[in-house]
Amino acid sequence: MQVKPFTDTPIKYLEYDGKPLSDIKDLGLSSDDYLRMYRWLVFARAVDDRCYILVRQGRSGFFAQIAGQEASQIGSALPLRQQDWMYGDHRSQGSLMVKGLKASEWFAHQLGRSLDPSQGRLMPHGPGRRDLNMVPPSSTVGNQITEAVGTAMAQYIKKSDGITICYFGDGATSEGDFHVGMNFAAVYNSPVILFCQNNQYAISVKLEEQTHTKTIAEKAKAYGMEGYLVDGNDILAVYAVTKHCADKARAGRGPSLIESYTYRYGPHSSADDDTRYRPKGELEMWRTQRDPITRFRSFLVNQKLWDEKKEEALVADVKAELAIALAEAEASPVPEMMTVLDHTYAKYTPQLEWERKELAAELGV
Amino acid sequence: MQVKPFTDTPIKYLEYDGKPLSDIKDLGLSSDDYLRMYRWLVFARAVDDRCYILVRQGRSGFFAQIAGQEASQIGSALPLRQQDWMYGDHRSQGSLMVKGLKASEWFAHQLGRSLDPSQGRLMPHGPGRRDLNMVPPSSTVGNQITEAVGTAMAQYIKKSDGITICYFGDGATSEGDFHVGMNFAAVYNSPVILFCQNNQYAISVKLEEQTHTKTIAEKAKAYGMEGYLVDGNDILAVYAVTKHCADKARAGRGPSLIESYTYRYGPHSSADDDTRYRPKGELEMWRTQRDPITRFRSFLVNQKLWDEKKEEALVADVKAELAIALAEAEASPVPEMMTVLDHTYAKYTPQLEWERKELAAELGV
Amino acid sequence: MATTAAAEKQTTLSTMVQAVRSALIDEMTLDQNVVTLGEDIGPRGGVFLVTEGLIDKFGKDRVIDTPLSELGIIGAAIGMAVYGLRPVAEIQFIDFLFPGFDMLVSEAAKMRYRSAGQFACPMVVRSPYGGGVRGGGYHSQSPEAYFVATPGLKVVAPSNPYDAKGLLIASIRDDDPVVFMEPKKIYRFQKQEIPNGAYEVPIGKAAVAREGKHVSIITFGAMVTLALEAAEKMKADGVEVEVIDLRTLQPYDVDAIMNTVAKTGHVVLLQEAPRIGGFMGEIAAFIAEEAIEHLEGPIVRVAGWDTPFPYALEKAYMPNVTRITRAIKKTLNF
Amino acid sequence: MATTAAAEKQTTLSTMVQAVRSALIDEMTLDQNVVTLGEDIGPRGGVFLVTEGLIDKFGKDRVIDTPLSELGIIGAAIGMAVYGLRPVAEIQFIDFLFPGFDMLVSEAAKMRYRSAGQFACPMVVRSPYGGGVRGGGYHSQSPEAYFVATPGLKVVAPSNPYDAKGLLIASIRDDDPVVFMEPKKIYRFQKQEIPNGAYEVPIGKAAVAREGKHVSIITFGAMVTLALEAAEKMKADGVEVEVIDLRTLQPYDVDAIMNTVAKTGHVVLLQEAPRIGGFMGEIAAFIAEEAIEHLEGPIVRVAGWDTPFPYALEKAYMPNVTRITRAIKKTLNF
Ligand SMILES: Cc1ncc(C[n+]2csc(CCOP(=O)(O)OP(=O)(O)O)c2C)c(N)n1
Ligand SMILES: Cc1ncc(C[n+]2csc(CCOP(=O)(O)OP(=O)(O)O)c2C)c(N)n1
Ligand SMILES: [Mg+2]
Ligand SMILES: [Mg+2]
């Protein structure tokens, strides 16, 4: 099956019941690959559930769930290589973990502990790791887009064989950043994938209130770029489309916009009340008939790769791994008070030196 | 002839040699209307030439010529009504004058005299007049776009039968303002015309370096809006397309993007040196084979409405009118020094009161 | 003030969130030209529920849920204001105003001046600001310095529910663009009896939040509460602290500042924002130029540190009573 | 400095425009990671011809003509900088930086902090600023206050060709984002002998532009020239004016300020920008807190008026010798 831009309906590889729609052989994925994919899905959902509890227990101040969007995030991160760069947004921890962020680091990020690669300097919606080429996002929706394009421009200038992927939501497409990033990417034919997780809501604002087009993918036409519409709850389809765009970028054939059509199960964040704006029944429909994990599990069963016993074993295994990860995170201390002034500049300025003395006196240290 | 969006080639009513391409009757324009149009074209070109000289003589500090774009500006302003709002940019004096700005006011604007409706408070690229619903642009490319859409939103909220037109250039389409304005206009179905004068350059940057699409008009697709591509040097075509979009907006059928394909003869501004970036021969071709004024004059001749004698009379008449206008402008004084502090706020703040005393002392008045 | 007002007319016990909502409802009822626009302000009622219920009352033409663009929100508000409406734009967190910063400083602030008074921008940009809510670097900032440094803008920041309602109504009625900064940390911190129906608290007038004769703390917004705590603390040591709540930062109240400096001769300037280039530098400069003869000690600034706003270490970052009392001693023991 | 340097090595007589160009050429030659991007900087050579000839020398991968978007220019520069390049972004006029302001203050300034030092933004945003060129409200502004109020940014503004080259090279080599403000009024005002080849003028160090013992004018950029004029004028009345050229506004040179205040006891702060909320308020606050015991008169600010920048009445707006001498008398006759 061939991956084409601007399809009228989302590209699918699997029926909702998990039946393969077409010849999936040419994906070149082995049974082990499938099982790896599935473990990631279950793992991501488990991390999500755990963080949700941490917030409920008041141990973490903020959390944005990815539940429902696991296929979208994991399927798009798996085709990437070590040398590729990743820009996440406030809802992309699934992709970050596939790229190499440890669950223990994510938990530490949630808890604001030193094991957090960003040392508790960001509201917990995504730390960065230099060694993984993973840039930490600000909270300002859309800002990562032109940055990602700039990184891709640098990869081109430096003749690197790396590419860059940038995650953002449907709401972010209304910001100037999306427009400018798309335009720069197209003008410089940069090796970048602009990956839009269209979960149909920007907090309470529905896509039809956000923009007057039916899809996000078609917006690529305004930039002379290819736009791909994919079923974001079909991990094989997301994998195939992202792989296609990554190969294309690596081959110097330029940028792509991918719209991954999906749905979020949780409220916008732990601070939101989604009952105020969600039409009733909608969430139920997606949970029961569109769930990306159930769908892929059915595929595995359909392929005779999975059964109850394996499921139980996996769940137990993941549970154990996360228990250890959380323990590690909690074992790591809260950053030292005095470090609050660090890393503002490469070196302390005279003004910050003065403030360091003031703070020390204030803390009595 | 019917006006359609997204044509492959610019909508034309006249051949380059002035022959009508199709039945122009349904434009509903009388011979007098044609002659009025022609006078405007000649008038605008004459103002342009005069201002160019003012700068050369060092009597004006800055000027952005419209030469070559007269049909684009006059053809798009003629279909508007008194109650309609107009947002110009730094190169739209032709449209401003059709809307009601006097040549004497424009000259005063060039010279920074009190007769300038903006009282010499802006670099001379467009004053505003409240009584004409004409908002003065800042110099910041693109900023007028979301403002124009906001005004159109207000017209809708207030159930006015007025509409809003907004002028900007091809370069402005790269700013976030264009994207956001287009999106808001489409989402709220606002009565606005976003009129892009594509003169193929943003200072030295050619359209193909500015964006990766062939046309500006097709960008409307990213917003679920109609985009019209018109030959900006064919005043009848520009008039027809703008009229069509104005009627549509007035009827509550929403916004339109118009790309008026044209060419500027002068440097970007009096501060520019266009020999550095213009391929030789290009300017000559446009001047000699695409000139909007020559083209419309040929049409008038073709329609038996024009001859040498009439031309001489018109030129003399315009010359005389502008001589008077310039004299008026020069007769008006430079604004009083002390007025520099006025109109920062509706009322003077204590801080400005203090500064007023300081300035008076400094000036010894 | 709240109590006297309560005595006169019927009042409602309100948090600052309720006070702001009440200001919007009263003004939108009185003036058909007042509209409000922003992200999630419709059915969602805004992320802090300030606009809860407004869309049912006034409909979607006047309570406008916008696409996710601050540039669009502020730009559209400007276009509405020059047309003759009085838009109140909500920016979800003031940290997110910056995609629309150009529209505010290049357009709203300069429209009256560049049109020689022909066009005005009677609009309000209201937004929650400030720290102490575990919001991290992008849900905690106090960027007033940027707005105060922009001629053409007015800047207002209430410290209690009564002022919040009165100042917002005054801001909506003001003929110039006003940045209305709402201290989110105290959105629900305190309830006050506030009058039902519209009333104004004048822009440009400070309030004496506490009388004292030894040292003056000049501050605004959420920091007023902290200043009062510190004042209470100092009382033990026999130091009587006067607390000035500026309420309006641009144009600030020169008389109130002159009076308190003349009275105490010792000044502590308190803000949440980083110290360097912060708004309080302006107040220090004003005093050092116009009231230096009254000074009996250094003008001491208490502020956030000169770093981005942290997350886990917010406590070490934000001004606290200790930081303030150390500053008071610094100027007194001079 | 220029002369001693001239003595040592081969030099070229240069305007500030030529000095800035020479800095770019030398650094791009020495460091393959240095690239420059902006509007019209390619074949056009930039509207002030600063980048003239660079595209022929370094090619279009390193001299990048961009679409018309400051958001894109600054955003792309950030993405390049975190990757490991050292981009120099040109903003055609600093008045037009604001569509990209969010990227500068929310991203470049905070990248190092929020990543706990893992990622840096070694980039320069260079742009012509300031009035006196009949540029009107949008080609004349001095917005340094916004940048100085943003921790994480450094702010540099040279006053002569020699410093312009040395400070720009230091800025490109600096590991933090630097806003490099070029005083366009004096782009071609003066020629100086400047060394061929790269040299640095250190960031964070002020210069004494003129020695004096009665009063100190603290300023930077194009205003240094004006301050020297005023100093010459005051000499007639027997007043010896010291002129401090800050050169770096963030982090500013605290020692240089302490020294001159201790020496003269009288301070005039000079900037082009509007007074209220301006950068000089910071210097006043610093002095009023740390050096008040040395003050023998009020700290007087000389600045542009608190209005948008005018066009026809530029002369009445901008600081001039009269405004400065009046200020000097105000602090001396105290
Ligand atoms: C510039 C900016 N404006 C507003 C916000 C507040 N906010 C945070 S997330 C969000 C909605 C984002 O929606 P979308 O882009 O669809 O991503 P999603 O949350 O659905 O994954 C908003 C409005 C912000 N963080 N930044
Ligand atoms: C935000 C901003 N950036 C840069 C400039 C400098 N500038 C003035 S006009 C112009 C080019 C505009 O091109 P276009 O939009 O095509 O309009 P044209 O001049 O061709 O009519 C530029 C870069 C500006 N005024 N504003
Ligand atoms: Mg979404
Ligand atoms: Mg153009």
Side-chain angles (χ1 to χ4, degrees), chain A residues 69 89-91 168-172 196-203 205 207 210 264 268, chain C residues 68:
Chain A
Q69 304 180 211
D89 69 352
H90 57 281
R91 198 186 305 283
F168 52 91
D170 44 299
C196 179
Q197 296 191 72
N198 174 9
N199 60 11
Q200 308 176 53
Y201 285 92
I203 303 186
V205 179
L207 187 63
Q210 192 69 240
R264 81 166 138 82
H268 167 72
Chain C
L68 211 177

Side-chain angles (χ1 to χ4, degrees), chain B residues 34-42 297 306 311 314:
Chain B
Y34 291 145
L35 295 174
R36 222 170 106 252
M37 279 182 164
Y38 184 63
R39 190 184 197 279
W40 269 122
L41 290 171
V42 172
R297 186 191 309 117
W306 206 248
E311 181 74 16
L314 174 61

Side-chain angles (χ1 to χ4, degrees), chain B residues 61 120 122-124 138-139 171 174-175 202-204 210 272-273 276 335-337 339 341 344 355 358 361-362, chain D residues 40 44 49 52 67-70 92 96 99 134-135 138-139 275-276 305-307 310-313 316 320 323 326:
Chain B
L122 274 171
M123 231 176 141
S138 69
S139 305
S174 291
E175 291 281 0
I203 304 187
S204 71
Q210 192 69 244
D272 183 33
D273 169 8
R276 289 176 174 272
E336 282 296 329
M337 287 289 211
T339 64
L341 302 177
T344 303
E355 291 178 12
E358 287 292 309
E362 180 179 311
Chain D
D40 305 291
R44 179 67 180 78
L49 300 182
E52 189 176 29
L68 211 177
S69 170
E70 293 68 26
Q92 207 161 75
F96 304 135
R134 293 177 78 186
Y138 300 89
H139 296 82
R275 187 174 51 109
I276 305 298
W305 305 123
D306 285 294
T307 73
Y311 177 67
L313 300 179
N320 52 48
R323 204 174 300 173
R326 293 186 73 245

Side-chain angles (χ1 to χ4, degrees), chain B residues 129-146:
Chain B
R129 260 183 58 183
R130 181 69 191 80
D131 59 328
L132 296 174
N133 303 324
M134 181 189 295
V135 184
S138 69
S139 305
T140 313
V141 164
N143 283 9
Q144 72 277 21
I145 301 176
T146 54

